[in-house]
Amino acid sequence: MKPLVLILSLALSLSGCGLMQQYMYEQQPLASESTKPEIQPELALVHFYRVGNQYAGKMGTVNIYANDQDIFGVKNKGYSWFYLEPGTYQFKAKWSVMDKPLFEDGLYDEKLLTLNLEKGKEYFVNYKVNEVASSSYDEASKVIGIAAKIAEPRSPDASVELVTEKKEIATQNINQCIIQSNEINKKI
């Protein structure tokens, strides 16, 4: 019993640090039409973001790769864009061991999406998490996320996908997001 109390105490104290980081992140400005890049005729433009209906793992960062090249770690409601040469790319979303949500039963395993990118076109890719919390979660249990996850199983309707979205839907989603830097744009 004592090890369980110790683990829960440690988890709750560490989540306080995470809550402060999340608060600081959420204070950054949102993406807008004026911050979105122009299409370049010889390259493909890829918009990558993370918008969904989620509770668990909200503070974690998902690492995004294109053909095994690390691009950036997308946070909840995070957005980044990059240009790529035309061709076939396999995009991978993978949680680090430290950021992967606990007790997730494979829901947050690596996700793959293959796209054939064409020059002069833009693509919208969403790491979409849908975790519908059951109605018995109350506000207090949401604050102590780990205890809530132990006490209550995830909804059977929960899903995690790496999906492309149409521009109209993507634009609405991106406008809720905070701009993040990425490794490709640092080299340009």
Side-chain angles (χ1 to χ4, degrees), residues 63-72 88-94 110-113 184:
N63 297 317
I64 304 301
Y65 303 85
N67 291 347
D68 291 322
Q69 178 187 357
D70 186 10
I71 299 174
F72 79 117
T88 301
Y89 289 83
Q90 183 176 62
F91 294 95
K92 176 172 52 176
K94 184 176 181 181
E110 179 177 293
K111 304 297 178 199
L112 300 173
L113 175 68
I184 293 175

Side-chain angles (χ1 to χ4, degrees), residues 100-126:
K100 190 173 183 180
L102 300 172
F103 315 111
E104 51 80 34
D105 298 327
L107 183 67
Y108 291 93
D109 285 352
E110 179 177 293
K111 304 297 178 199
L112 300 173
L113 175 68
T114 301
L115 292 176
N116 184 26
L117 304 182
E118 298 177 30
K119 64 182 179 179
K121 293 194 175 180
E122 63 184 334
Y123 300 84
F124 300 91
V125 182
N126 186 1

